[in-house]
Amino acid sequence: MATPAVPPDLPQTELPPRGDPNTLYVIDVSSFVFRAYHALPPLSSSRGEPTHAVRGFTSMLLKLLEERDPQWVAAALEGEGSFRKELYPEYKANRDAPPEDLGQQVLRVHEVLDAFGIPRLRHPRYEADDVIATLVRLARERGLSVVIVSADKDLLQLVGPDVCMLDTMRDRIFGVAETWAKFGVAPEQVRDLLALMGDSSDNVPGVPSVGQKTAAKLLAAHGSMAGVYEALDSLKGRVKTKLDEHRDQAELSRDLVTLKDDADVGLADAQVGEGDPAALRALFTELEFTRLLAQLDPQAAPSEGTVEVLTSLEELRALAAEARDHGQLAIVSYLTDPDPLRGELVGVGLSFAEGRGAYLPLAHRTLGAPEMVPMDDALGVLRPLLENSLLPKLSPDLKREDLIWRRRGIELRGYGFDVALASYLLDPGRHGHGMVEVARAELDAELPLLERLVHPKRGVRLQPDEVDVPSLGDLAAKHADFVVRLTNLLRPRMEHGDFVRLFRELELPLAAVLADMERVGVRVDTEKLGAMSAAASEELAALEARCHTLAGHAFNVGSPRQLETILFDELGLPVVKRTKTGRSTDAQVLEELAAQHALPEAILAHRTLSKLQGTYLDALPAAVLPETGRVHTRYNQAVAATGRLSSSDPNLQNIPIRTNYGRRIREAFVPAPGLLLLAADYSQIELRVLAHLSGDPELVDAYRTGEDVHRRTASALFDVAPGDVDYTQRNQAKTVNFAVIYGQTQFALARNLKIERSEAKRYIDAFFARYAGVQRFMETVVEEAKRTGYVTTLLGRRRGLNDIRSRNRNLRAGAERIARNTPIQGTAADIIKIAMVRVQDRLRREGMATRMILTVHDELLFEVPEGERAEAEVLIKETMEGALTLDVPLEVDVGFGTNWGAAH
């Protein structure tokens, strides 16, 4: 039997005309909600309500209504039971129970349908497919065409010249021709095809060994399943045997896949109602579907607003008065340099109400620039506004504005709203939290880019003060306007639940603390760093010569391509990992190959030292600000998804502590003359957080009694008494402890400890045997993340996990590791942030001269006058240890020294 082909005279199916009064659209609700739930990354509102399935379904519905403008439409829903279960109790028995958060979203979908005025039709013992089949029959009797909005293959048995299926998620149409192309049979044969081949998703048994192609051939030759069995004696081989043995099963399957068309629904029920636009807008607002709201109601989309360029003192004073009347001021400043401690002020974007944006030019250097308000006069008007703590300031980045204005002698008071921090708390995994990204994500608005003004064409690079006033004014005014719009949108989300504490009591105050730290900076011994760089250059030259000797000839040590050839072609070392462009020579590969040849280890040493020289030994002296003689790193609050701070320009977070050069680099961080450095470091903070979160009695007891946790773990790993644990065993146990926190696999642990994978697995198994509560906690965290789509810290900081339900095993495993780690690392990050805010507040209230100058992970560094040494030690240690009450004590190690290395 040949495979049946699509009849050549069948045309490609087209949808009926838009708005056709003689076409009925029937939506298979359950199908689309389920697909949206699994296709979209987990999303939830700021109140924690899951919303991604609702959002996906609603987007589909809006698209359907906009593109097709249906005059007849109905939503088919599942009944409370199914007669098919009575026929065959195993029907759909292989399906997992629906996720808890899906049922909640289905109810919201019903609200969406009601608000749109789309009738919901169901029959108590019928499935949605049967309701759809009934509506198709009724529509045909009335002479209407039907478009089934679904992707369910079972519904293709309803297709005909007057009925088609529309898959809106893939923009595919299935009519007679497309059904032939998909199954190799006519629509009226689809039922028998499904009966013969069975359906694993619904647990319809079918006939074993009869797949789609075989079933299609049988039906092509004999017309129907009844015809196949009438001709059974003429068949041969295994197919005949299986058909004969499983005839009852085939007939049962046909009963299961046959769609009933006598549901208790009427065609009149499918007429579109008027809907309730107000209820729909309220629902979208509650679910925080901002972009969909704009799509629903063009009036809800952001309007252009007005742009005003302030060229006189009177205009600036008038705007200041309006800002006071409105009780808020949005401010966005533009500098000649992105660094607020280096750039000169060019102009300021200002706003106080939606749709009202203004630009105050101050120092443009362009021909034809208008008269500008003199800088001193402008500052005289702005000072009382910016220093008024009762007038909330709104900004894309309040810390940056604070640094800009403090440099000009104005203290920014009244931190009101920071768009980036709010965006970061709502969705830390968002691509970016700048104005452009947040406006696009939240309001579907495209704001102008500064980069396009300062780099208008290839080879041309302007400073902001070289951009003409109208162009920069339009950009600045719009950005300031949208600061107000986004504040009005996001502020309500920050005013309930955990966001109140995280935003108002932690992140906003922390921004002011970080501004102080950035402004103060940290002093470095440039001569010491220069001497270290010279020594490093000599060592690098020696390492390069050694690499050449080990390779047998000279080559470019920094060239991955040349190294690849030497390692794998010349030396014949095994290929560990491949990339898109060739064989990998990354650090992981070199570490694995180091056991087989000395060259990989030499290359690693060269790379490590070269990176240290470029990143710190040479970069730190170059980063010293001439006006202060200090390095002023930039702290990033809205980057790390765990909640941790990072630093840049230069990055001071990753100075290695275990290498000789890393320790010597820390020795180059010194206090101002006459002062000492105080280093305060949380002891094992993440393990202590893990003890609290897991409630594991072994861990809790160890920290409450002051026992060495690494020694206790080593006792379990090596089956020795705690007192007999040696230095090496303790270090390996320490690595295992932190490997568990960071969700390392046995492969990664084996690589780090340079042991066999089987031994690494034994270590991990021994850890969880000793600390069973930790394993239960981590299993619970992962299960909860799969249910909700996110994880939280102890303070409620939330991190979404888009891949936690992924069918890709590697992506899902990565998300599970993040789920296990984030509550621990994120809570530790929250603790040190709390400590920073409280320590700074206490130092200010006590009137002390001690200054916090640096934060690196779990450590804070201070400059302390000798006379405050004792008082500062008590204040800092006491405040840090009391930052958050856990079931185990927080401990802080404090040290003093004439450099960071000595203090640490």
Side-chain angles (χ1 to χ4, degrees), residues 611-612 615-616 647 651-657 666 856-857:
K611 183 176 181 180
L612 273 177
T615 306
Y616 299 110
S647 76
N651 178 4
L652 300 181
Q653 299 279 322
N654 295 325
I655 301 174
I657 189 64
R666 288 173 180 250
V856 177
H857 301 314

Side-chain angles (χ1 to χ4, degrees), residues 46 241 661:
S46 60
T241 302
Y661 269 98

Side-chain angles (χ1 to χ4, degrees), residues 547-553 555 562-575 583 590 593 596-601 603:
C547 290
H548 293 170
T549 300
L550 291 170
H553 59 81
F555 69 101
Q562 291 184 33
L563 180 62
E564 176 188 354
T565 300
I566 292 168
L567 291 178
F568 306 119
D569 297 333
E570 297 177 15
L571 299 179
L573 295 175
V575 176
R583 296 160 292 186
L590 295 180
L593 295 176
Q596 302 179 49
H597 197 278
L599 178 59
E601 187 174 5
I603 293 290

Side-chain angles (χ1 to χ4, degrees), residues 581-843:
T581 57
R583 296 160 292 186
S584 174
T585 59
D586 65 13
Q588 180 182 334
V589 170
L590 295 180
E591 287 173 3
E592 192 161 335
L593 295 176
Q596 302 179 49
H597 197 278
L599 178 59
E601 187 174 5
I603 293 290
L604 276 173
H606 187 280
R607 284 184 183 177
T608 300
L609 184 54
S610 178
K611 183 176 181 180
L612 273 177
Q613 184 182 47
T615 306
Y616 299 110
L617 302 181
D618 294 341
L620 285 175
V624 171
L625 188 66
E627 293 89 337
T628 65
R630 298 166 76 95
V631 171
H632 302 263
T633 189
R634 182 184 308 159
Y635 292 105
N636 306 304
Q637 274 179 276
V639 172
T642 57
R644 272 194 165 188
L645 293 170
S646 66
S647 76
S648 55
D649 304 319
N651 178 4
L652 300 181
Q653 299 279 322
N654 295 325
I655 301 174
I657 189 64
R658 296 178 181 174
T659 67
N660 179 49
Y661 269 98
R663 288 188 291 271
R664 291 172 60 193
I665 289 171
R666 288 173 180 250
E667 292 171 2
F669 285 75
V670 295
L675 303 178
L676 290 171
L677 288 185
L678 181 157
D681 189 6
Y682 277 109
S683 170
Q684 301 176 4
I685 186 171
E686 291 180 344
L687 279 171
R688 292 173 188 272
V689 168
L690 175 60
H692 173 85
L693 293 174
S694 67
D696 181 86
E698 284 269 350
L699 268 184
V700 171
D701 179 68
Y703 281 116
R704 285 179 175 174
T705 59
E707 184 181 343
D708 185 337
V709 170
H710 300 321
R711 189 172 293 277
R712 181 176 283 206
T713 300
S715 173
L717 298 186
F718 302 106
D719 195 23
V720 297
D724 295 332
V725 171
D726 62 28
Y727 176 81
T728 301
Q729 290 172 329
R730 183 186 182 279
N731 272 352
Q732 286 188 310
K734 180 178 179 180
T735 301
V736 172
N737 283 338
F738 287 103
V740 170
I741 288 176
Y742 291 103
Q744 283 187 3
T745 63
Q746 64 191 52
F747 307 106
L749 180 61
R751 185 175 67 249
N752 290 340
L753 291 177
K754 295 181 172 55
I755 58 177
E756 294 295 324
R757 292 174 182 173
S758 59
E759 187 70 354
K761 181 180 185 302
R762 189 187 70 76
Y763 283 3
I764 294 174
D765 290 344
F767 176 95
F768 285 122
R770 170 60 61 94
Y771 306 117
V774 172
Q775 185 165 28
R776 287 193 297 271
F777 162 71
M778 291 188 167
E779 289 171 352
T780 301
V781 165
V782 170
E783 288 306 310
E784 183 69 9
K786 288 180 178 178
R787 187 182 70 82
T788 63
Y790 60 85
V791 288
T792 61
T793 68
L794 201 55
L795 268 68
R797 185 184 301 275
R798 186 183 305 172
R799 182 178 184 180
L801 299 170
N802 293 351
D803 296 320
I804 195 67
R805 303 190 194 104
S806 174
R807 295 179 182 177
N808 182 306
R809 184 176 62 181
N810 291 333
L811 293 177
R812 188 175 64 253
E816 289 176 359
R817 283 194 294 274
I818 292 172
R820 288 187 285 266
N821 168 251
T822 295
I824 304 165
Q825 192 177 102
T827 298
D830 288 340
I831 289 172
I832 198 164
K833 286 180 175 181
I834 294 170
M836 291 173 70
V837 171
R838 292 183 182 175
V839 167
Q840 185 83 332
D841 181 60
R842 286 193 64 184
L843 289 173

